[in-house]
Each structure stands twice: as C-alpha cells, then as structure tokens.
Amino acid sequence: MNILNIAADITKLIKKQNQDAEVTIYETNKTSVSQRLSKIEQISQSKNCTIGIRAIAGKNKAAYISTNDLNNLSDTVSQVVEMAKNATEDPCINFAVNGSNYISSADLSISDNNVVTVDNLKEIAEAAENSALAHKSITNSEGASSSYALVNTVLSTVSGFIGSFSKSTFANQVSVVAGRESEMKVGYDYDIACNFSDLKLPELMGKEAAKRAVDQLNSRTIKTGKFPVLFEKRAAKGLVKSFASAINGSSIISNSSFLRGSLNAQIFNDRINIIDDPLLPRGIASRPFDGEGITSKKNIFVKNGILQNWILDLYSARKLDSETTGSATRASNAAVIPAASNLYIENGNVSFEELIQEVKEGIYVTDLFGFGVNLINGDYSQGASGFFIENGKITYPIHEITIASNLKDMFSNLFVADDLTFCGQFNSPTIKVSEMTVAGSLND
C-alpha cells in the first residue's frame, strides 16, 4: 500500500469538484507487552491506516472526516465535500499557498529500523520488573510494560505540497511497591525514545523504581507554611506543559489563558529561555514539517524572560494578526490545531547542589497528584510528595501536602539548574520557585 499515492488520489478527487483539499494519512504499527509478578498480562499487536480529509469549499468553509475504509474513498470524498459546502463561513480559514522544502526524517534520526519482536519486549519488561523486585524492601509490583510503534505520516495540502516521514517510538515503564500494609509506597520509572539505543537499560529502570519507592518509606507530614519549592525534573515537566497550554494560540483566541495580554512582557527572570524545537535530533516530537506543510523551525518562545510569541498555526495566526510559528498538528480527521513539539526550558548556570544549598527550609517535590491548574486565572494547587530540605540538604521524605500559588507568581520567581535531560515532549532542568504555600496536615 502506497499511502503517498492514496493521498495524491484523494486530493485529485476533491479538486475535480472544484474544491480545495488537505489529506493526512497515519499508518500505524504497534506492539506492546505488559506483565505483573513475572506473568504476562497482555500482548497487543495492531496495524491500522487512518485517512483524514479536510475539504475547503469557496476558500472559507471547511469540513473534516476520517476513515479507515480504503475501498470507498470516492464516497467519503463526496460526503466531506458536501459537508464543506454546507458549513458555516469562516473568513479566518487559512492554508499554505506555496510548496515547501523540508529536512528529511532520516536527518532528524527519528526512525529506527531495528526489528523489535514480542520476545524482545517481553525480555525488557521482565528485566525491569525483576531488577526492581530484587530490592529487599520491595514487597509487590504494579507491573512493567514495553512497547514499540512505527507511524508513517503523509500530508498532502492545497498548495500542492506532499510530504511524508516515519517515526518510531519505544516506551518502557515499571512500577513497584515498598513496605507493608501499615505503610506502602509506590515508585515508578519510565523512558521513551525514538531510537532503541537511547533507552535506559531496563535493569537501571527497575533499580530506580525500587529506590523511589523505598526512599518514600517513613514519610512524615509537615506544618502549613510558606516555603521555597524545588521541582525535580520529572515533576517540572508539568509546569512546562502548563506554560505551553497558556501560550497556545487557541487559548489566546478563546480568552482562556492567564497570559493573554502578556506578549512581549517580562514574565520570567532574565535568565530564562524557553525553546520549542521540532528539529531536535532524536526528539520524541520532532518532525520535518508541521501539519500544514510548513517547514519546521526552532522557535524561541521566551528569551531572557520575555514572552516572544504564541504557539500558532495558520488559522490562529490570522485570528491574532500574526504569522504561523509552524506549530500546526493534525488530528486523525485532518482537523488542525496549534501545539508544541519538543518544548523545554534551557539550562541555567548553577548546579542542582547550588540551587538547593541556599534553602534553609523548603520542599523538594518528586511527584504531583490531581488536576489543580486553572489556566484561565493561573491558580495552581496540586497534591505532592517528596522531601523536606533543611540547611541546603535533602533530609526526610514527606507526604500528604498540597502546594499552591499562582502560575504568574511562580514564573516570575522561577530559577533553574543546569541538569536538563530529554525524555518526552516537555522537558526542564530542576526548577526552584522562591515561595509557595505548602499545606500539611500537622496542627500548629
């Protein structure tokens, strides 16, 4: 099956009806294995091909449709064209008018041609879980999993652009329990990469999951107060994701972001730079072109603490009287929305030890719980666990706490270490927020 030819054929069918068309095809092959206590729980293998079509009638009316039926494409085309003709006019509908050159996915190193079998995935899951269970304080397992997916993507646009790329994704995870009924703590570790060779060894994942569980034993709670809060890199990803949502063009258009009106304003200290790089070699969200056929480029969204731009596709750019940042993504039905690719906070110029050493009393957050982020007004309140900091040293584990503030205040009082690593779409060095309200359960 040649999905490039299918995309071209669908585009031609719609153009025969004197309408414009954009076609997205995702051809996905995925295999996954999960086990618990050395027993296989599930083996899953799937192959599917989803075609998404956006038909544009009269340049200002659009409709979307998806199908996996390759035998009735003519009927599907007729249906989406008729839908477009009857759609509501929208003067901000926009699409690329010129074809675009782009870097090949091979140059981005996001497609690994190694053959990964079910047996390979079994071995990885087993090694990770066995390594974790080998720790004497680990008493149970929540399971381990390993998966591999290959997605071939094709995009055909109004401009005559037709491009394709392939991306492989490997993901491993393990979760175990330390302690007994009176106190049980869960520790987990995970890894995700486009290239198998970039994955953490499963044995190391198991040891890390076990360590995280054991380190939380004998946790205490604390009195409520105001403290500096450090976010471990894994926990800091959530703040990066919230920032991405707040500067998304769709959020700005709908007036649902606390950062609306903050363009070109100083929202971080002048040492903070935040970058979105779809051309990051081996990046999990790297892509040679965006969902509208625009050549991918690195965007600096925060430079020296100043917000430089919104995350924009062509539609939101027109709505906001701006230009696309090449950030369009396509849903399975070819609908377009702006979204970040590999978004990260650049390294600071101090080490983790230096970041923590000035903290007389504070909190080191390793895990967050709940959904306490209000992007409309920036209010932030999350359940958390981690460790208490005394005199610049991590001391004892803590639990049953809630950390609260407002994201605007957190951003303006945010400092970062120099320990950035990449794992997933959103990444950050260790973060310190100068002061947050920390609610514990101890009485004064």
Side-chain angles (χ1 to χ4, degrees), residues 17-66:
Q17 300 192 38
N18 296 316
Q19 308 299 338
D20 290 312
E22 295 175 333
V23 181
T24 303
I25 302 180
Y26 297 109
E27 185 181 46
T28 304
N29 294 276
K30 183 174 182 179
T31 303
S32 62
V33 170
S34 63
Q35 72 165 54
R36 181 174 177 272
L37 295 173
S38 301
K39 293 183 179 179
I40 296 295
E41 289 193 324
Q42 186 177 51
I43 297 175
S44 173
Q45 290 183 295
S46 63
K47 294 183 179 181
N48 63 72
C49 182
T50 302
I51 298 171
I53 305 171
R54 175 166 85 154
I56 305 167
K59 307 297 182 184
N60 60 6
K61 295 191 289 185
Y64 310 87
I65 198 168
S66 65

Side-chain angles (χ1 to χ4, degrees), residues 114-415:
N114 285 331
V115 176
V116 178
T117 66
V118 169
D119 286 340
N120 296 144
L121 300 180
K122 285 181 181 177
E123 290 169 4
I124 292 168
E126 184 174 16
E129 188 180 47
N130 287 348
S131 175
L133 291 171
H135 195 292
K136 63 180 181 180
S137 297
I138 297 300
T139 55
N140 207 341
S141 171
E142 292 192 335
S145 62
S146 182
S147 67
Y148 162 71
L150 177 66
V151 180
N152 300 313
T153 299
V154 166
L155 174 67
S156 173
T157 71
V158 175
S159 66
F161 170 88
I162 185 163
S164 66
F165 65 93
S166 299
K167 181 185 293 184
S168 51
T169 303
F170 301 86
N172 300 325
Q173 186 268 340
V174 60
S175 180
V176 290
V177 179
R180 298 292 178 184
E181 290 182 5
S182 59
E183 184 188 28
M184 293 188 293
K185 297 296 182 181
V186 175
Y188 72 95
D189 198 22
Y190 69 95
D191 200 12
I192 185 169
C194 292
N195 291 266
F196 186 81
S197 61
D198 291 340
L199 288 170
K200 187 187 303 184
L201 290 174
E203 293 82 2
L204 294 180
M205 284 182 54
K207 289 179 180 178
E208 177 66 17
K211 182 179 185 301
R212 285 176 173 271
V214 172
D215 284 352
Q216 282 292 317
L217 290 173
N218 303 311
S219 289
R220 315 176 200 176
T221 188
I222 59 173
K223 293 180 180 180
T224 295
K226 292 185 181 294
F227 299 95
V229 174
L230 274 73
F231 291 80
E232 184 189 28
K233 291 184 286 184
R234 198 162 85 177
K237 291 173 183 280
L239 290 178
V240 180
K241 186 175 181 180
S242 293
F243 172 73
S245 297
I247 66 165
N248 189 291
S250 296
S251 299
I252 304 305
I253 291 169
S254 62
N255 204 32
S256 58
S257 169
F258 69 97
L259 288 179
R260 60 193 179 277
S262 298
L263 197 61
N264 300 316
Q266 187 93 35
I267 58 174
F268 295 90
N269 75 65
D270 60 10
R271 294 184 178 180
I272 300 297
N273 298 302
I274 301 180
I275 292 170
D276 186 59
D277 188 4
L279 297 177
L280 182 71
R282 310 171 92 85
I284 200 68
S286 294
R287 58 188 183 227
F289 53 85
D290 81 342
E292 294 175 308
I294 305 295
T295 301
S296 290
K297 64 174 182 176
K298 180 189 289 189
N299 288 294
I300 301 175
F301 286 111
V302 173
K303 184 175 183 180
N304 299 328
I306 297 172
L307 180 60
Q308 304 289 309
N309 209 342
W310 311 121
I311 297 173
L312 300 172
D313 59 3
L314 286 166
Y315 180 85
S316 57
R318 177 172 283 184
K319 275 275 192 180
L320 296 169
D321 194 25
S322 186
E323 294 183 2
T324 179
T325 54
S327 303
T329 60
R330 292 269 177 177
S332 59
N333 69 345
V336 188
I337 55 171
S341 59
N342 303 297
L343 189 74
Y344 62 95
I345 301 178
E346 272 195 336
N347 268 326
N349 57 4
V350 297
S351 66
F352 170 79
E353 291 75 18
E354 290 171 316
L355 194 68
I356 199 174
Q357 68 184 7
E358 295 181 356
V359 178
K360 185 177 180 181
E361 285 189 325
I363 309 297
Y364 180 51
V365 171
T366 57
D367 288 287
L368 294 166
F369 315 101
F371 303 94
V373 182
N374 186 329
L375 290 175
I376 296 175
N377 60 20
D379 285 347
Y380 181 95
S381 178
Q382 296 260 239
S385 63
F387 298 86
F388 199 69
I389 301 169
E390 293 179 303
N391 299 317
K393 302 289 184 182
I394 292 174
T395 52
Y396 53 86
I398 54 175
H399 65 168
E400 296 179 4
I401 63 170
T402 300
I403 56 174
S405 184
N406 184 277
L407 285 171
K408 266 195 172 180
D409 294 333
M410 292 169 68
F411 290 166
S412 64
N413 293 285
L414 185 149
F415 302 88

Side-chain angles (χ1 to χ4, degrees), residues 72-86:
N72 295 292
L73 291 177
S74 181
D75 291 344
T76 302
V77 165
S78 296
Q79 183 179 353
V80 73
V81 167
E82 191 63 26
M83 290 164 59
K85 289 177 179 177
N86 290 283

Side-chain angles (χ1 to χ4, degrees), residues 414-441:
L414 185 149
F415 302 88
V416 297
D418 63 357
D419 55 355
L420 174 68
T421 53
F422 289 91
C423 179
Q425 181 181 6
F426 302 101
N427 293 282
S428 170
T430 302
I431 283 175
K432 180 173 78 172
V433 177
S434 297
E435 185 179 86
M436 298 181 70
T437 297
V438 180
S441 57

